[in-house]
C-alpha cells in the first residue's frame, strides 16, 4: 500500500519451519495475518494468510517469529521467474 515501510519487500513464509504459534498474528499492527485450519486439507494442516494490501511491511511478524519461519524478501528475489541473465 501507499503507507508501506519497505514497499519493495514481501513477507515470505517457510511453511516447514512454522510451528503455528500465532505470535506473528498477535503482533501485527494492521491485523493482516491469520492462521486458520485449511478447508479440505488432510492431516489437520493450517493455512497462513497475509493481506498484502493491508501489510505495512514493518517486519514485526518476522522479528516475533521464534521459528524464523517468516522473512522479508526483496520483491525481485521473491519472484519465481528467472531473470533474463539467468535464462541464457
Amino acid at each position: 500500500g501507499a503507507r508501506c515501510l519497505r514497499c519493495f519487500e514481501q513477507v515470505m513464509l517457510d511453511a516447514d519451519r512454522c510451528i503455528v504459534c500465532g505470535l506473528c498474528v498477535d503482533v501485527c499492527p494492521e491485523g493482516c495475518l491469520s492462521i486458520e485450519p485449511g478447508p479440505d486439507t488432510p492431516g489437520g494442516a493450517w493455512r497462513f494468510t497475509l493481506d498484502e494490501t493491508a501489510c505495512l511491511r514493518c517486519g514485526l511478524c518476522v522479528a516475533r517469529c521464534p521459528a524464523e519461519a517468516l522473512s522479508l524478501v526483496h520483491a525481485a528475489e521473491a519472484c519465481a521467474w528467472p531473470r533474463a541473465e539467468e535464462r541464457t
Side-chain angles (χ1 to χ4, degrees), residues 1-80:
R3 9 172 241 153
C4 66
L5 301 175
R6 299 177 185 118
C7 295
F8 296 104
E9 294 189 355
Q10 293 178 313
V11 176
M12 300 297 288
L13 170 69
D14 181 346
D16 292 333
R17 297 185 81 159
C18 180
I19 59 174
V20 194
C21 65
L23 292 175
C24 58
V25 175
D26 291 341
V27 76
C28 180
E30 296 298 310
C32 60
L33 293 168
S34 67
I35 300 174
E36 49 198 39
D40 305 323
T41 307
W46 294 83
R47 179 174 53 203
F48 177 87
T49 306
L50 168 66
D51 180 354
E52 289 278 345
T53 61
C55 181
L56 298 175
R57 287 143 181 91
C58 64
L60 290 175
C61 59
V62 174
R64 184 79 180 264
C65 182
E68 298 180 353
L70 294 171
S71 58
L72 276 173
V73 178
H74 193 278
E77 295 172 29
C79 181

